[in-house]
């Protein structure tokens, strides 16, 4: 096992966790407004997947994308300032939590209509293929997307035209507050993909190494064959759908059971067992990312609001 | 490659020439849509383009408007300049989320990190006896949305010049053609012919009232103006050509000359483009108006099938003539 790699993944997941905890506090203080969708508990999916892609591969994600953004950009300041709606936010206070973008890092959103970004990801891959470029597009979405028309059209076109996109379903078992068994007629979302046909695998999304390995394989294969691939990552979100959701549709016992499989905790345990990191070293990583998050919060709080005279900028040219 | 001399072309030939010339010039342009390739276009606008450019650049799509509109948007995000053909704009409503929520918002929502050079085009409005789901004029639906440009050409020459400008534009453009106009012939200027978006044109100068319209309604309005000329009512016809951005100066300048405004719009009246033009004149040139501005639009109903009912719903020469008479104080 590569110690530096594991420590890096541990750090990234911890950064996402501490970042979102700070965002939740700021939300409760009224400093962050709008919708705030946390992925606490699901960090291994984004971190494992994005660590397996080349930095030039495109990332297209949803409104629950803080972890994806941080995993690709490491830009806690830009993300936190965006949540605060500040001029220094990664999109200048135009998008907020649901619309993080960084063109320079090929982080292509931040989309907030369920499923609407799936054909867009196929289009990005279409352009890569058209220009004969090696890049693969990673498209993330939740299990709730699996019944949306745009999802099916995106998969159908990606399969028909053999577009280099890796679809990654983050199956946290709830489409907002409705359990999957009440919204999906199949047990696994992967079954849907196979009908197109797109090769699909199911992976433990709470195991960052398994996630990374599955995506590494998928990206390599897709880069070579130019054909899409589908991964369904089984995971669990510890918090509600958004900050306004107390998640009363789940029992305490269910949540507690899943929290035993906390992806950060599990990786820490593994690193201890393998003799890669002591509890003290892991605590030091935590302290380091806490400082990064504190800095991001201070940066966001001290940043100016967007200038009023810019409100009509960037509508069109 | 274009002929240096002006020629008479059909509307569909002029549109094709615009696409072909631009695709010859710029390898990042692709054409996507239902039947655009092997079938040579549902209305033959793209006839011969598959043969010329190959299936890499002229891409037949399944019947999946959400999917292929979204693919166009994604490809445009990373630098292609897609032309997405809707077999009719009625089908664009299936992709309304893609156009309104994604294409129109991207530049603003990303603080200018992304631009989106994409053209959505195809026929809009009523043809003949296609009833409620295939006869919709959609300019009001799209012009309502900041971040979109909306272009409606009325002649083959304008069709070519405006489509070339739309393809070169770095914003999403909704380009609304007309099934009933594809065979219409008209002179197309020779050489490089590009008409800037957002510039209206006086199609017929006149003193007594300003008739603002666009697209195929121009041709009906010209007939109405001839009939009115016989009654010594001199109508100025202003062709907007681009609905958004609106050439406000051209509207106001004409209204300030004639002091009367009639807007003719295919499509429903409620919250429509015609209402916007009337609002512009009344808020910016109120003191110049000698009569309350008037609108002629579709009746406020879904399109019926029966020919007599369809004709009653659409703006027509008699309705325009009557409205013009009333505006200048003549009662028939």
């Amino acid at each position: 096992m590569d110690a530096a790699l594991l420590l890096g993944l541990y750090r990234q997941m911890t950064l996402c966790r501490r970042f979102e905890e700070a965002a939740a506090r700021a939300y409760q203080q009224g400093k962050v407004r709008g919708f705030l969708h946390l992925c606490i508990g699901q960090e291994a999916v984004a971190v494992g997947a994005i660590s397996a892609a080349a930095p030039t591969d495109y990332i297209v994600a949803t409104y629950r994308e803080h972890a994806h953004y941080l995993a690709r950009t490491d830009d806690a300041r830009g993300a936190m300032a965006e949540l605060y709606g500040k001029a220094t936010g990664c999109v200048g206070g135009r998008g907020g939590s649901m619309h993080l973008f960084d063109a320079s890092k090929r982080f292509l959103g931040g989309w907030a209509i369920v499923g609407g970004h799936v054909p867009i990801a196929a289009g990005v891959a279409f352009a890569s293929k058209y220009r004969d470029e090696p890049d693969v597009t990673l498209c993330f979405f939740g299990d709730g997307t699996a019944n949306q028309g745009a999802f099916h059209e995106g998969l159908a076109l990606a399969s028909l035209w053999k577009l280099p996109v890796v679809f990654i379903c983050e199956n946290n078992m709830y489409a907002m507050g409705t359990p999957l068994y009440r919204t999906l007629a199949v047990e696994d979302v992967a079954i849907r993909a196979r009908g197109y046909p797109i090769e699909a695998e199911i992976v433990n999304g709470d195991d960052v190494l398994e996630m990374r390995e599955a995506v590494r394989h998928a990206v390599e294969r897709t880069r070579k064959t130019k054909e899409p691939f589908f991964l369904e990552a089984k995971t669990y979100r510890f918090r509600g759908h958004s900050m306004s959701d107390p998640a009363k549709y789940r029992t305490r016992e269910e949540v507690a059971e899943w929290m035993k499989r906390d992806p950060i905790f599990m990786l820490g345990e593994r690193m201890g067992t393998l003799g890669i990191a002591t509890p003290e070293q892991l605590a030091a990583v935590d302290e380091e990312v806490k400082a990064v998050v504190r800095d991001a919060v201070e940066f966001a709080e001290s940043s100016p609001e967007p200038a009023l005279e810019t409100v009509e900028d960037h509508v069109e040219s | 490659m274009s002929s240096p001399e002006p020629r008479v072309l059909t509307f569909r030939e002029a549109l094709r020439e615009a696409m072909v010339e631009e695709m010859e010039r710029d390898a990042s342009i692709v054409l996507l849509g239902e039947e655009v390739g092997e079938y040579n276009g549902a209305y033959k606008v793209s006839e011969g383009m598959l043969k010329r450019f190959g299936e890499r650049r002229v891409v037949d799509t399944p019947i999946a408007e959400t999917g292929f509109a979204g693919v166009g948007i994604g490809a445009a995000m990373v630098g292609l300049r897609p032309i997405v053909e809707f077999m009719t704009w009625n089908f664009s409503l299936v992709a309304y989320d893609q156009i309104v929520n994604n294409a129109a918002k991207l530049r603003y929502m990303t603080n200018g990190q992304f631009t989106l050079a994409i053209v959505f085009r195809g026929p809009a409005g009523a043809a003949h006896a296609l009833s409620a789901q295939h006869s919709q004029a959609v300019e009001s639906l799209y012009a309502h949305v900041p971040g979109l440009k909306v272009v409606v050409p009325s002649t083959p020459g304008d069709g070519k010049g405006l489509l070339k400008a739309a393809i070169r534009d770095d914003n999403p453009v909704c380009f609304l053609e007309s099934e009933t106009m594809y065979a219409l012939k008209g002179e197309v200027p020779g050489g490089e012919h590009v008409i800037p978006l957002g510039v209206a044109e006086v199609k017929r100068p006149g003193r007594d009232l300003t008739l603002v319209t666009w697209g195929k309604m121009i041709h009906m309005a010209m007939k109405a103006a001839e009939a009115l000329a016989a009654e010594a009512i001199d109508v100025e016809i202003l062709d907007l050509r681009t609905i958004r951005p609106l050439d406000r100066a051209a509207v106001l300048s004409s209204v300030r000359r004639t002091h009367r405004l009639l807007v003719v719009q295919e499509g429903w009246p409620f919250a429509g483009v015609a209402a916007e033009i009337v609002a512009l004149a009344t808020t910016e040139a109120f003191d110049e108006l000698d009569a309350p501005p008037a609108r002629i639009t579709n009746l406020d109903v879904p399109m019926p099938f029966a020919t007599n009912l369809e004709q009653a719903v659409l703006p027509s020469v008699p309705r325009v003539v009557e409205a013009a008479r009333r505006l200048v104080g003549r009662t028939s």
Side-chain angles (χ1 to χ4, degrees), chain A residues 190-235:
Chain A
I191 293 168
R192 291 267 166 99
R194 288 176 186 138
Y196 281 103
I198 295 175
E199 194 162 323
E201 275 175 18
I202 296 171
V203 57
N204 176 5
D206 292 333
D207 182 335
V208 69
L209 294 176
E210 188 178 328
M211 192 69 215
R212 178 182 154 88
E213 193 50 30
V215 174
R216 197 186 57 74
H217 165 75
V219 166
E220 249 175 38
R221 182 184 183 282
T222 295
R223 208 185 304 285
K224 196 158 59 191
T225 63
K226 305 295 175 200
E227 287 184 27
F229 197 89
F230 192 101
L231 281 170
E232 177 180 3
K234 305 278 193 188
T235 183

Side-chain angles (χ1 to χ4, degrees), chain A residues 90 103 116 130-131 153 311 317, chain B residues 27 56 67 78 98 108 113 171:
Chain A
C90 62
Y130 180 82
R131 291 189 293 233
E153 296 192 18
V311 70
S317 62
Chain B
R56 181 169 161 268
V78 292
Q98 288 298 331
Y108 192 82
Q113 285 187 36
N171 302 277

